[in-house]
């Protein structure tokens, strides 16, 4: 008697709206989150010579030559370190009202020229990039604005923050020591790079108030925006780095407001007229605590994410989409009823159909579901409400409860899984773990 085949040991990954897929060796990242390839950096400011470095003629010449040749500030700093080793940290950041676009910050230097030609302005200091349009490739703001607390060494990151899968704890991570073989003389060849582990000396928890690196200003908040620029032909996204808490916090508020008004959508243009987001800078008074514990306000140019769109237009377009969905649902029911009538034998009722009819996203009376309908179906399935609400906000956007289209989608999904509550609970938990990782 032949033995039954052993189960496939490879884990399966369920894709949205698709069949079960098997992960590949290189196609399944450590956290399952797709990473966008980047095609260049736009910088938030500039770097200038320190007062001491500016007094050294050779350093000034190297700096001026680097600017004229379109070199990045990292390249200029390396050249200064080689030519003037006596100067420690010869460049310092300077806050300016424009963004820096340099050819050497792009794998294809022509892209820098195209961006300045298309969106640059001359306001008396040469052609600069003061404001430019952007579109985002995904509806999750966490994916287009990744950020962390991080401590950098001479070559790479020493420590960085990561949240636990449930989002409750912020961990302090570091690179694991490179293992050695049994002889103790040769390092083990690693596949996929160095491994990340929780930092041992602080219990693996990220607590800035008790962190020596953070208190010594070695660990700082760092983030970046990932976007495409309309009119610039590049399949890779561009990135803009920032360390400003104010800029990132304000961008999150803009993202959440737009997602609420657009039924959870951030990707693409904002309306049918092709209105994009815009990135610009605004002069603000920023408060911080000085070394003596006193509040101080200083003026700074802060990155600002604009969404210059008529809110009434967004709401009207959302209503139009809801009307189309309801009309399509009604038409599908009419066609479905016609098909059933055609399959009836004269003198007999409709013949039984083996295929189950797909569940509608509307209630039994044909009306769009209310929030009470959705929560009632959720309670009947026994799925924890708090967990599911977090999942729903991720899947359909934070404004799904107030949006008829969002409620219909949620109700329809619950209807489709009503006979498999355990499987659905597993799906919800898996989605939340993927988002948090």
């Amino acid at each position: 008697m032949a033995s039954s085949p052993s189960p496939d040991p490879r884990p399966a990954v369920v894709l949205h709206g698709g069949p079960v897929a098997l992960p590949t060796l290189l196609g399944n990242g450590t956290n399952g989150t797709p990473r966008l390839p980047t095609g260049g950096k736009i910088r938030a400011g500039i770097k200038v010579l320190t007062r001491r470095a500016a007094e050294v003629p050779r350093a000034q010449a190297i700096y001026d030559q680097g600017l004229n040749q379109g070199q990045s500030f990292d390249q200029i700093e390396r050249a200064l370190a080689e030519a003037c080793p006596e100067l420690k940290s010869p460049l310092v950041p300077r806050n300016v009202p424009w963004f820096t676009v340099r050819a050497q910050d792009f794998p294809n230097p022509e892209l820098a020229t195209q961006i300045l030609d298309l969106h640059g302005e001359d306001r008396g200091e040469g052609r600069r990039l003061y404001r430019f349009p952007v579109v985002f490739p995904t509806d999750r703001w966490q994916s287009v604005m990744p950020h962390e607390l991080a401590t950098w060494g001479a070559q790479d990151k020493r420590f960085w923050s990561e949240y636990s899968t449930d989002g409750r704890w912020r961990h302090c991570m570091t690179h694991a020591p490179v293992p050695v073989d049994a002889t103790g003389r040769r390092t083990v060849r690693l596949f996929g790079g160095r491994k990340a582990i929780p930092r041992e000396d602080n219990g693996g928890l990220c607590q800035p108030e008790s962190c020596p690196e953070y208190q010594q200003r070695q660990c700082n908040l760092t983030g970046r925006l990932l976007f495409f620029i309309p009119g610039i032909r590049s399949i890779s996204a561009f990135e803009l780095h920032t360390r400003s808490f104010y800029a990132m916090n304000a961008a999150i508020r803009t993202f959440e407001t737009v997602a609420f008004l657009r039924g959870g959508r951030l990707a693409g243009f904002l309306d049918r007229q092709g209105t994009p987001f815009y990135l610009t800078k605004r002069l603000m008074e920023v408060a911080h605590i000085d070394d003596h514990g006193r509040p101080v306000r200083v003026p700074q140019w802060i990155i600002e994410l604009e969404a210059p769109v008529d809110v009434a237009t967004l709401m009207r377009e959302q209503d139009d989409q809801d009307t189309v969905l309801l009309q399509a649902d009604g038409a599908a029911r009419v066609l479905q009823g016609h098909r059933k009538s055609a399959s009836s034998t004269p003198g007999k009722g409709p013949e039984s159909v083996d295929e189950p009819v797909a569940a509608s996203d509307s209630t039994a009376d044909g009306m769009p579901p209310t929030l009470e309908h959705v929560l009632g179906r959720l309670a009947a399935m026994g799925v924890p409400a708090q967990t599911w609400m977090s999942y729903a906000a991720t899947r359909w956007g934070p404004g799904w409860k107030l949006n008829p289209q969002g409620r219909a989608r949620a109700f329809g999904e619950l209807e489709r899984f009503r006979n498999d509550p355990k499987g659905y609970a597993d799906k919800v938990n898996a989605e939340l773990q993927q988002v948090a990782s």
Side-chain angles (χ1 to χ4, degrees):
M1 181 176 179
S3 61
S4 60
S6 59
D8 193 332
R10 295 171 294 177
V13 177
V14 180
L15 303 179
H16 290 302
V20 173
L22 294 173
T24 66
L25 188 63
L26 298 178
N28 190 37
T30 56
N31 57 8
T33 303
R35 295 181 181 273
L36 292 173
T38 54
K41 294 180 181 179
I42 296 175
R43 299 185 183 270
I46 63 173
K47 286 187 176 182
V48 297
L49 290 169
T50 62
R51 183 178 301 177
R52 181 173 174 232
E55 295 172 352
V56 179
R58 190 175 183 186
Q60 185 68 60
I62 292 173
Y63 180 80
D64 292 339
Q65 182 181 13
L67 292 182
N68 294 332
Q69 294 178 353
Q71 295 180 2
S72 68
F73 291 112
D74 293 338
Q75 291 176 314
I76 296 174
E77 202 156 22
R78 285 195 294 269
L80 287 169
E82 293 176 3
C84 309
E86 72 279 5
L87 296 176
K88 304 299 182 184
S89 302
L91 296 183
V92 292
R94 172 170 291 178
N95 193 243
V96 292
W98 64 79
F99 300 96
T100 301
V101 185
R102 295 200 165 277
Q104 296 303 316
D105 284 325
F106 295 79
N108 178 7
E110 286 298 318
L111 291 176
T113 303
Q114 292 176 23
I115 292 171
L116 282 174
D117 287 345
L118 190 59
H119 301 297
E121 305 172 56
D122 190 341
R123 299 183 181 178
E125 298 185 75
R127 196 165 185 82
R128 309 283 192 186
L129 188 66
Y130 292 91
R131 183 175 184 264
F132 61 100
V134 298
V135 293
F136 297 103
T138 177
D139 293 331
R140 292 189 64 246
W141 67 260
Q142 295 91 340
S143 297
V144 296
M145 199 184 75
H147 55 283
E148 63 184 356
L149 287 165
T151 302
W152 286 84
Q155 302 295 331
D156 58 3
K157 281 192 297 187
R158 293 180 58 212
F159 311 113
W160 65 92
S161 64
E162 282 186 10
Y163 274 92
S164 60
T165 54
D166 60 6
R168 296 181 59 190
W169 300 101
R170 188 172 60 238
H171 295 293
C172 181
M173 308 296 291
T174 187
H175 290 294
V178 178
V180 296
D181 61 14
T183 66
R185 293 192 296 269
R186 294 185 58 185
T187 59
V188 174
R189 186 182 175 200
L190 299 176
F191 178 75
R194 299 168 66 185
K195 313 303 180 187
I197 60 172
R199 183 178 175 183
E200 290 185 3
D201 57 355
N202 63 2
L205 292 180
C206 176
Q207 298 175 319
E209 289 77 12
S210 60
C211 173
E213 284 78 17
Y214 186 83
Q215 295 303 320
Q216 295 170 15
R217 303 184 186 277
Q218 297 173 6
C219 181
N220 295 290
L221 176 66
T222 178
R224 56 187 180 138
L225 286 160
L226 301 172
F227 48 83
F228 293 95
I229 301 177
I232 304 298
R233 296 183 178 181
S234 173
I235 197 172
S236 298
F238 301 105
E239 56 184 321
L240 172 64
H241 287 252
T242 179
R243 291 186 176 182
S244 171
F245 170 82
Y246 295 94
M248 285 185 269
N249 196 44
I252 292 171
R253 292 199 299 270
T254 302
F255 281 136
E256 290 180 339
T257 301
V258 171
F260 174 80
L261 294 171
R262 299 182 70 208
R265 292 198 59 212
L266 290 174
F269 292 106
L270 294 172
D271 55 23
R272 295 177 185 175
Q273 286 71 45
T275 304
F277 287 92
Y278 279 86
L279 283 171
T280 185
K281 286 189 176 184
R282 185 159 64 97
L283 187 62
M284 297 175 55
E285 282 199 348
V286 176
H288 70 94
I289 304 299
D290 65 13
D291 293 336
H292 302 287
R294 296 172 300 193
V296 178
R297 301 184 71 88
V298 294
Q300 282 191 4
W301 289 98
I302 301 296
I303 297 171
E304 185 172 51
L305 178 66
E306 297 178 347
V309 67
D310 183 359
V311 173
T313 300
L314 287 186
M315 299 177 73
R316 187 163 56 248
E317 288 187 359
Q318 193 63 48
D319 290 341
D320 292 343
Q321 292 175 10
D322 295 339
T323 301
V324 170
L325 286 175
L326 289 175
Q327 290 174 344
D329 182 62
R333 267 190 257 114
V334 169
L335 292 173
Q336 188 181 77
H338 175 74
R339 184 174 57 197
K340 287 183 178 180
S341 300
S343 65
S344 301
T345 304
K348 297 183 180 180
E351 295 179 356
S352 62
V353 181
D354 291 336
E355 284 188 0
V357 178
S360 172
D361 289 355
S362 58
T363 58
D365 57 6
M367 298 299 292
T370 64
L371 182 59
E372 287 72 21
H373 284 122
V374 176
L375 296 180
R377 171 53 53 203
L378 184 68
M381 294 176 67
V383 179
Q386 186 174 1
T387 301
W388 185 83
M389 293 294 268
S390 299
Y391 161 82
T394 300
R395 182 161 174 76
W396 298 293
W400 72 269
K401 291 180 288 187
L402 302 178
N403 189 310
Q405 181 181 348
R407 294 196 301 269
R409 288 175 177 171
F411 187 79
E413 181 171 289
L414 291 170
E415 285 288 296
R416 287 189 289 275
F417 283 90
R418 66 184 302 175
N419 294 323
D420 185 18
K422 184 179 184 305
Y424 186 62
D426 292 341
K427 166 186 166 63
V428 168
N429 290 329
E431 290 284 342
L432 289 176
Q433 289 177 3
Q434 181 176 346
V435 170
S437 60

